[in-house]
Amino acid sequence: QFRATDSALVGAEALIRWQHPEKGILAPASFIDALGESAAVLETGRWILRNACQTAASWRAQGLPHIKIGVNLFPAQFRYGTLLSDVDDALKMSGLPAEALELEITENIGLGNNEAVLAPLQALRAQGVGIAFDDFGTGYASLSYLTKYPLTRIKIDRSFVQKITEQSDSEDTAIVRSIITMARNLKLEVNPFRVVGQN
């Protein structure tokens, strides 16, 4: 993730891929729903967290910019109550500061808006971990989520951002401008980033 204003490197996101023996590298859309309901989901979530934190810590040790690493969460990590211990273990094993980790939730996690989701997010935010609402603007999430959850960032869904160019009509940019304004009024970061490497 590169900041749009000055092209500074500010973040990266852990993106899982499956090396299928016959079909080659598969993007998450082809397997993430099945994985999320499988017996392997909790261990996979731990593996992703550990590897993301270790990678970010190794970059820092090599003198690279101190960026945030983003990790998407599975609903199962909330259902089974493992998220706090998983994050704690990943940070301790890697030595990565909590402030360098950003956890991403989507509305399929947040829609329940229950204590099983809210409590661990509040505890993690108190430790310094960032909480981002991913794919914002495309689903059914209530705007009240933006004040109920301990969010630090809104990530506008790429379907809106990809349409914007310097020649875009005002109608094409209206939603994005509105979300950015709302986020700033709520003292949340927003993602006006130039993002590379998501294919």
Side-chain angles (χ1 to χ4, degrees), residues 46-177:
R46 293 186 190 104
W47 178 81
I48 293 169
L49 271 168
R50 287 195 303 264
N51 277 274
C53 290
Q54 287 170 353
T55 298
S58 71
W59 288 342
R60 288 177 169 232
Q62 295 171 48
L64 296 175
H66 287 194
I67 63 173
K68 285 189 178 182
I69 188 76
V71 177
N72 291 277
L73 298 178
F74 290 103
Q77 291 170 288
F78 292 92
R79 287 199 306 269
Y80 292 98
T82 64
L83 182 61
L84 284 174
S85 60
D86 291 349
V87 171
D88 187 56
D89 289 345
L91 292 175
K92 284 181 178 176
M93 289 173 61
S94 65
L96 188 72
E99 296 78 14
L101 176 63
E102 183 173 76
L103 301 176
E104 300 185 9
I105 63 170
T106 54
E107 69 172 33
N108 66 326
I109 290 174
L111 279 175
N113 196 26
N114 56 36
E115 194 65 15
V117 174
L118 193 56
L121 291 180
Q122 289 173 329
L124 289 165
R125 183 68 204 109
Q127 295 172 22
V129 175
I131 310 294
F133 201 124
D134 200 9
D135 300 334
F136 185 79
T138 57
Y140 301 100
S142 167
L143 292 176
S144 65
Y145 281 29
L146 301 182
T147 57
K148 289 182 180 177
Y149 283 89
L151 301 175
T152 54
R153 184 195 310 274
I154 295 173
K155 295 185 70 179
I156 304 170
D157 188 79
R158 74 167 75 181
S159 64
F160 296 112
V161 179
Q162 285 178 333
K163 297 176 183 177
I164 296 176
T165 67
E166 291 184 6
Q167 292 77 36
S168 294
D169 295 332
S170 59
E171 291 84 358
D172 294 332
T173 62
I175 291 176
V176 173
R177 288 181 186 276

Side-chain angles (χ1 to χ4, degrees), residues 17-35:
R17 298 292 182 265
W18 177 17
Q19 179 66 54
H20 192 280
E22 298 174 358
K23 299 179 181 179
I25 297 178
L26 300 180
S30 61
F31 65 85
I32 203 71
D33 289 340
L35 175 59

